[in-house]
Amino acid sequence: MKRVLTPTGHPAWLATSYADVRLVLSDPRFGKAPLGGEVTRSGRLLPGLLFTSDPPEHTALRRELQAAMRRCPSRLLRDRLVVEADSLLSAVGSSGDLVGAYAAPLAMWTMATWLGVPAEDRARCAEWSSIVLSLNRFPAAVVEEAQFSLIDYFARLVSPGPNLLTALTDTAAAPAPLAATVMATGYETLVAGIANASLTLLTAGPGFGSWPSTQTAERRMIHELLRFAPLGGTMRSRCALEDVPVGKVVVGKGEVVLAATGPANRDPARFADADSFCPMRGDNRHVSFGVGDRFCIGSQLAIMQLTVALSRIAFRFPGVRLAIDPASVTVVPGSAEPRPVELPVHWR
């Protein structure tokens, strides 16, 4: 634990060890609701959202979303996701940007299809989502406008049929904010997941030519990709609701803690050979999806998306390789989900 400044210049504690990060993310003495202002990011987030509320409000919102997800489970998208992935890969040339040509459009297809967003509105949703999930890249007014625009969009959207938004209208008291939360967090997380996993495979891993041949091995590979986090992983913010001992310090009531999942997932006290990418790693209880009551509600969607996205590249272009020096990869500035701005590759 050490003292740092948040992306907006406020003092905070930084938790980096596996034990400390798990404690901060799972202990009910740490909350999210007090962080609604501009303490950890630019722009105020609305109170009462899934990621700005604490129990019992957070518990009720989560139950509403889980009920909708049971009515419209993301796994039903899998067959069409494979088709869409192959369609995007069929359109690439001999070289190009893996993020722009594949990761981003595939992520948006998944979230838009699940939520019932028509094709003509997807670019707007992607822009709003990227702004909402930024930390200090945009002025506060721009972030707040994007947040309201995304919520208002889902409040006005009429999308009949079997989709998550339709299910939310039956299970949630306020479906639009939940739908907007799913879109923003889901899209940015999926883009980053595909891009970062691809970067890992092409630099620290075996490439795409040695994709696992069994489901068990494939699942281990996916979880190791999630653990390895080449660009440092995410910073999850919490506020102490009372004085809480963490490691060798006491976090005072009202103080902010940034829980760094990337370093926690590389903690040698928890993971053997922690800085090496080990595709067949067995004991892999990483914290990439969080811990406890706030464990990522979309984790199964993320695993499905990563598995399909990466395995289709492996099947179609097993010899894909980076077209630039890995050291020259540029990271999206000020994003809550660190990822490459672009990932130039030679597909063939």
Side-chain angles (χ1 to χ4, degrees):
M1 296 283 287
K2 64 179 181 180
R3 298 296 281 172
V4 296
L5 296 178
T6 70
T8 52
H10 291 79
W13 290 100
L14 176 66
T16 57
S17 76
Y18 183 85
D20 290 348
V21 167
R22 280 192 66 90
L23 174 63
V24 171
L25 295 183
S26 62
D27 195 308
R29 293 175 293 178
F30 288 99
K32 289 286 289 183
L35 298 172
E38 296 183 57
V39 176
T40 60
R41 47 166 292 146
S42 176
R44 294 180 177 272
L45 293 175
L46 286 173
L49 298 177
L50 193 63
F51 55 86
T52 62
S53 58
D54 292 324
E57 187 178 19
H58 175 267
T59 306
L61 290 170
R62 191 176 176 95
R63 285 174 179 166
E64 290 178 343
L65 180 53
Q66 287 174 324
M69 291 170 67
R70 285 193 294 270
R71 294 189 180 199
C72 185
S74 59
R75 67 175 182 273
L76 298 181
L77 297 173
R78 186 182 180 97
D79 290 345
R80 286 185 291 163
L81 177 60
V82 171
V83 173
E84 182 64 19
D86 282 342
S87 176
L88 290 170
L89 290 172
S90 294
V92 302
S94 59
S95 300
D97 173 23
L98 188 149
V99 175
Y102 187 62
L106 189 62
M108 178 47 66
W109 179 92
T110 299
M111 300 313 303
T113 303
W114 196 24
L115 284 161
V117 174
E120 62 269 21
D121 295 338
R122 294 175 183 178
R124 284 192 297 165
C125 286
E127 181 180 9
W128 289 329
S129 297
S130 296
I131 294 172
V132 169
L133 264 288
S134 66
L135 296 176
N136 58 2
R137 187 181 178 188
F138 301 96
V142 174
V143 175
E144 291 167 11
E145 181 181 359
Q147 179 186 193
F148 284 115
S149 296
L150 194 57
I151 293 173
D152 183 64
Y153 171 78
F154 281 107
R156 296 172 180 272
L157 179 62
V158 177
S159 184
N163 57 63
L164 189 63
L165 179 61
T166 300
L168 280 169
T169 60
D170 294 330
T171 65
L178 279 172
T181 299
V182 170
M183 170 58 79
T185 58
Y187 171 69
E188 283 294 304
T189 300
L190 295 181
V191 177
I194 298 170
N196 291 336
S198 297
L199 179 61
T200 297
L201 287 171
L202 295 173
T203 54
F208 283 89
S210 301
W211 190 256
S213 58
T214 68
Q215 288 187 353
T216 298
E218 185 176 64
R219 189 171 184 84
R220 286 186 175 183
M221 168 84 87
I222 293 297
H223 279 285
E224 180 66 350
L225 288 165
L226 288 164
R227 183 197 71 85
F228 196 72
L231 301 180
T234 60
M235 293 281 192
R236 301 180 186 273
S237 56
R238 297 289 189 271
C239 181
L241 305 179
E242 59 183 80
D243 291 354
V244 186
V246 181
K248 297 180 179 179
V249 307
V250 175
V251 178
K253 179 180 179 180
E255 291 186 323
V256 173
V257 180
L258 303 177
T261 62
N265 284 335
R266 301 279 193 98
D267 186 346
R270 175 60 184 83
F271 299 98
D273 206 8
D275 285 329
S276 296
F277 179 74
C278 304
M280 292 299 102
R281 187 183 297 274
D283 181 15
N284 198 350
R285 295 183 62 189
H286 58 77
V287 291
S288 300
F289 288 133
V291 182
D293 292 342
R294 295 183 187 274
F295 186 84
C296 177
I297 199 169
S299 60
Q300 293 306 307
L301 170 63
I303 290 171
M304 179 185 73
Q305 180 88 8
L306 271 180
T307 303
V308 170
L310 301 177
S311 64
R312 296 319 296 169
I313 294 177
F315 179 76
R316 299 287 299 274
F317 299 108
V320 62
R321 61 197 187 280
L322 276 181
I324 58 172
D325 186 326
S328 65
V329 171
T330 303
V331 181
V332 175
S335 175
E337 295 288 343
R339 65 169 176 84
V341 173
E342 59 180 12
L343 203 58
V345 297
H346 296 302
W347 292 102
R348 298 176 173 85

